[in-house]
């Protein structure tokens, strides 16, 4: 989607520190806070506070620190208010909180970042486990890694250089500076405020996934607090089924993950970067060319692409004027090779657009590329739908035309993030992994398609209703009554009917078995949880 800001707007950042008034009621069914709180006595809360370490804090409604921690990133779910919040500092604190919640009969839900979950599944009326204080990052170099050094253009990469262990509160933004500061690399997502925990547990796409694999593909082990309070280390040689499920099975299904160990790479040199933009008049040739390029480079792990169309505004004139098409990405190789790959796209558009797009193709450091490619998910209130596209389900000109036409009919909102759709190219190392080797099953895809719409906190309720109706119609205009069978579990859609097969396909039955082994009473549960 275009017009994504690199940082949250100052106004929204201010809202995060206060109560949000005037929000429409949450679409998720939840017991009123008073009913939930009545289940637990004050003495019980005192016992929880006493069980925590000195670095952790228990917040209750009325405490000054409660409002900003209770508010999820997607304000659409701001009406779901936790009975209590534990700001966890250690695995021991998580263990104490889980055991306490189970004993008193409250659900416990972890939140690794700001609560970006598109469907509000990191919100709860029970006990919210805020992991933001668990920010440790520890690297361990491995001997003999230089024997696996390879050169890509002007970049020199040491594959398997070491391991990196991060706490559950670490975000993409915490890891990205390592590109510049320490020459270390783990594939992450593009939104700086998203927690690495949620990213890896659902798969983890980004602008280096074709080269280095999904975030979950780099996972070596993870520490998990189970529903019965046990703490286990899951890896290939210890609790392998749980480890398998944690690589793409989505968060809050088997326990609370408190740390993750990844294999990292070291690098020296620059990468190719490009950012191409066109008017809506070019949407058909751009999407057709981009899809063909993605197919032609499916096995070329060096080339990364995201292409899409979006708009924002309140009035019909603003929505049309702000609409645009763009493609953005990076390349691990020489610029001339990158220009050759992009040639069909560089030939599209007006003379001014072609000149600007050619000038955007340049070499940058990997750290600079990380900054240039970063963007936030929509802020305030939003909804999304996704689809996994294979070579057999790529968009036709008719579908693209229908999508573009429907986008220009978007009802509008006061949210500058607007609406749109984007295609994230897959392939490379992602598709070299068998679909049953990890819980992430989408291993023959060319793209993940994401369609989004957003509205502001203070838009009237009819605007939210119109946006949700538009998103459903937009998806219908693309796929009719037979959408692609698979969707991306890290873009959860609460309206998706057969989400079990859409997210996990043939892997779902094994995920259920893992769930029954490690959480047989379904203590960790939500509307699209494994086993529901």
């Amino acid at each position: 989607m275009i017009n994504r800001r690199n940082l949250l707007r100052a106004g929204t950042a201010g809202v995060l520190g206060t109560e949000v008034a005037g929000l429409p009621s949450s679409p998720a069914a939840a017991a009123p806070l008073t009913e939930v709180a009545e289940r637990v006595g004050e003495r019980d809360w005192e016992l929880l506070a006493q069980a925590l370490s000195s670095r952790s804090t228990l917040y209750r409604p009325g405490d000054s620190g409660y409002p900003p921690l209770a508010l999820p990133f997607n304000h659409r779910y701001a009406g779901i208010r936790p009975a209590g919040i534990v700001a966890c500092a250690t695995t021991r604190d998580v263990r104490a909180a889980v055991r306490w919640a189970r004993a008193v009969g409250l659900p416990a839900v972890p939140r690794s970042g700001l609560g970006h979950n598109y469907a509000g599944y990191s919100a709860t009326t029970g006990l919210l486990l805020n992991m933001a204080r668990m920010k440790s990052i520890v690297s361990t170099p491995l001997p003999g890694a230089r024997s696996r050094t390879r050169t890509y253009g002007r970049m020199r990469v040491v594959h398997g250089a070491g391991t990196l262990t991060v706490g559950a509160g670490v975000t993409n933004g915490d890891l990205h500076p390592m590109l510049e500061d320490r020459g270390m690399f783990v594939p992450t997502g593009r939104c700086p405020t998203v927690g690495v925990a949620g990213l890896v547990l659902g798969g983890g796409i980004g602008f280096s996934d074709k080269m280095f694999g999904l975030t979950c593909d780099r996972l070596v082990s993870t520490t998990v607090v189970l529903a019965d309070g046990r703490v286990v280390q899951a890896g290939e040689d210890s609790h392998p089924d749980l480890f398998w499920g944690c690589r793409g099975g989505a968060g809050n299904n088997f326990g609370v993950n408190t740390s993750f160990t990844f294999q990292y790479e070291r690098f020296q040199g620059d990468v190719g970067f490009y950012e191409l933009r066109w008017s809506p008049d070019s949407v058909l040739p751009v999407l057709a060319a981009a899809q063909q390029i993605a197919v032609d480079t499916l096995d070329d792990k060096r080339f990364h692409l995201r292409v899409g169309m979006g708009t924002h505004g309140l009035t019909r004139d603003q929505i049309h004027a702000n609409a645009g098409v763009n493609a953005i990405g990076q390349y691990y190789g020489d610029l001339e090779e990158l220009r050759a790959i992009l040639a069909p796209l560089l030939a599209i558009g007006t003379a001014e657009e072609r000149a600007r797009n050619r000038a955007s193709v340049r070499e940058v450091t990997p750290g600079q590329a990380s900054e240039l490619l970063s963007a936030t998910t929509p802020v305030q209130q939003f909804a999304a739908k996704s689809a996994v596209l294979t070579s057999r389900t790529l968009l036709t000109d008719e579908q693209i035309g229908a999508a573009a036409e429907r986008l220009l009919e978007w009802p509008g909102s006061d949210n500058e993030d607007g609406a749109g759709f984007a295609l994230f190219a897959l392939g490379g190392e992602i598709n070299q992994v068998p679909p049953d080797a990890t819980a992430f099953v989408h291993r023959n895809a060319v793209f993940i398609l994401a369609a989004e719409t957003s509205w502001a906190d203070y838009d009237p309720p009819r605007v939210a209703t119109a946006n949700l109706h538009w998103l459903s119609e937009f998806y219908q205009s693309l796929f009719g009554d037979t959408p692609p069978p698979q969707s991306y579990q890290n873009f959860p859609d609460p309206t998706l009917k057969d989400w079990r097969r859409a997210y996990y396909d043939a892997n779902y039955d094994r995920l259920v078995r893992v769930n029954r082994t490690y959480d047989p009473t379904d203590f960790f549960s939500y509307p699209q949880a494994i086993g529901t």
Side-chain angles (χ1 to χ4, degrees):
M1 189 181 300
I2 64 170
N3 294 314
R4 287 281 176 264
R5 295 176 299 283
N6 291 338
L7 296 173
L8 297 177
R9 288 190 304 178
T12 301
V15 167
L16 293 177
T18 62
E19 294 280 1
V20 178
L23 295 181
S25 59
S26 166
L33 176 60
T34 53
E35 292 182 14
V36 177
E38 285 173 358
R39 301 178 192 169
V40 184
E42 286 304 315
R43 178 56 182 163
D44 292 315
W45 290 107
E46 291 173 3
L47 291 173
L48 173 58
Q50 293 169 9
L52 301 174
S53 71
S54 59
R55 291 187 291 148
S56 292
T57 308
L58 171 64
Y59 296 95
R60 299 291 313 286
D63 294 340
S64 60
Y66 175 93
L69 295 180
L71 184 67
F73 188 84
N74 188 349
H75 296 178
R76 183 182 174 197
Y77 301 98
I80 304 176
R81 313 293 281 178
I85 304 170
V86 175
C88 302
T90 68
T91 297
R92 175 183 169 277
D93 294 318
V94 175
R95 178 176 181 266
V98 168
R99 296 182 71 178
W100 177 89
R102 183 161 187 151
V104 300
L106 285 182
V109 173
R111 179 179 294 173
S112 60
L114 297 178
H116 283 77
N117 189 284
Y118 284 21
Y121 298 147
S122 59
T124 181
T125 54
L127 185 66
L128 180 65
L129 309 180
N130 185 287
M131 318 293 277
R133 296 183 184 180
M134 303 181 72
K135 289 280 194 181
S136 62
I137 301 177
V138 179
S139 61
T140 305
L142 295 180
R146 291 189 179 277
S147 63
R148 287 170 283 174
T149 299
R150 291 195 61 181
T151 301
Y152 306 90
R154 297 189 182 183
M155 172 173 280
R156 181 172 171 269
V157 177
V158 181
H159 291 284
T163 60
L164 193 71
T165 300
V166 304
V170 170
T171 65
N172 287 327
D174 296 323
L175 285 184
H176 286 170
M178 298 176 65
L179 294 172
E180 301 175 52
D181 299 339
R182 301 172 65 181
M184 300 166 62
F185 184 74
V186 172
T188 60
R190 69 187 305 222
C191 179
T193 56
V194 165
V196 172
L199 179 77
V200 61
L201 292 172
I205 62 173
F207 281 100
S208 55
D209 48 15
K210 289 182 65 180
M211 181 71 172
F212 298 115
L214 300 168
T215 311
C216 72
D217 294 336
R218 312 299 294 183
L219 189 65
V220 175
S221 65
T222 178
T223 304
V224 188
V225 177
L226 302 177
D228 60 7
R230 286 183 296 148
V231 178
V232 300
Q233 192 77 13
E236 290 286 2
D237 300 322
S238 176
H239 301 279
D241 282 349
L242 178 60
F243 180 59
W244 177 88
C246 289
R247 289 178 292 165
N252 197 21
N253 272 310
F254 316 112
V256 180
N257 299 71
T258 62
S259 73
F260 304 85
T261 298
F262 301 98
Q263 185 182 73
Y264 72 78
E265 320 291 84
R266 282 199 176 275
F267 60 80
Q268 291 178 331
D270 296 333
V271 297
F273 167 81
Y274 64 94
E275 184 176 16
L276 318 179
R277 292 182 287 122
W278 303 267
S279 75
D281 295 336
S282 294
V283 65
L284 287 178
V286 167
L287 267 293
Q291 289 184 105
Q292 187 59 55
I293 289 172
V295 171
D296 293 341
T297 60
L298 188 64
D299 297 326
D300 187 347
K301 64 183 184 179
R302 299 171 299 169
F303 178 72
H304 297 77
L305 164 72
R306 171 212 166 278
V307 61
M309 179 179 178
T311 190
H312 63 102
L314 271 172
T315 68
R316 187 64 49 216
D317 288 344
Q318 290 172 342
I319 291 167
H320 280 249
N322 292 330
V325 182
N326 77 344
I328 189 171
Q330 68 177 348
Y331 181 69
Y332 294 89
D334 295 323
L335 279 187
E336 287 309 309
E337 294 174 341
L338 176 56
R339 292 191 182 99
I341 292 172
L342 294 174
L345 290 172
L346 295 175
I348 297 173
T350 65
E352 180 182 354
E353 288 172 338
R354 294 196 304 271
R356 182 185 63 222
N357 289 340
R358 284 194 298 269
S360 79
V361 183
R362 60 192 189 275
E363 277 190 343
V364 298
T365 68
Q368 290 170 328
S370 176
E371 290 293 323
L372 291 167
L373 294 167
S374 69
T376 65
T377 57
V379 299
Q380 298 191 43
Q381 302 190 49
F382 54 92
K385 299 181 77 68
S386 71
V388 177
L389 304 182
T390 67
S391 57
R392 295 183 178 182
T393 56
L394 295 177
L395 301 182
T396 65
D397 284 351
E398 182 180 5
Q399 287 174 296
I400 296 167
E405 181 179 344
R406 184 66 67 178
L407 182 62
L408 295 178
E409 296 173 354
W410 179 59
S413 78
D414 243 336
N415 192 325
E416 292 181 9
D417 279 316
F421 67 98
L423 281 71
F424 300 86
L426 303 185
E429 289 293 323
I430 302 169
N431 292 10
Q432 296 303 307
V433 178
D436 61 351
T438 69
F440 187 89
V441 75
H442 316 300
R443 300 291 184 172
N444 68 335
V446 180
F447 288 106
I448 287 178
L449 177 145
E452 298 174 350
T453 189
S454 65
W455 57 98
D457 288 336
Y458 300 104
D459 280 329
R462 59 178 172 77
V463 173
T465 301
N467 270 262
L468 292 170
H469 181 69
W470 173 86
L471 182 62
S472 177
E473 287 192 334
F474 178 87
Y475 203 74
Q476 176 79 14
S477 71
L478 268 177
F479 301 118
D481 295 327
T482 55
Q486 295 185 12
S487 299
Y488 182 35
Q489 52 267 43
N490 263 356
F491 297 156
D493 173 10
T495 69
L496 194 59
K497 293 182 180 178
D498 191 9
W499 57 266
R500 298 166 182 83
R501 299 301 168 185
Y503 296 155
Y504 308 113
D505 198 50
N507 287 343
Y508 183 74
D509 293 340
R510 182 177 174 184
L511 283 166
V512 171
R513 292 195 295 272
V514 175
N515 174 262
R516 288 174 179 168
T517 298
Y518 289 95
D519 185 16
T521 63
D522 286 327
F523 175 71
F524 297 106
S525 186
Y526 54 95
Q528 291 183 343
I530 300 297
T532 57

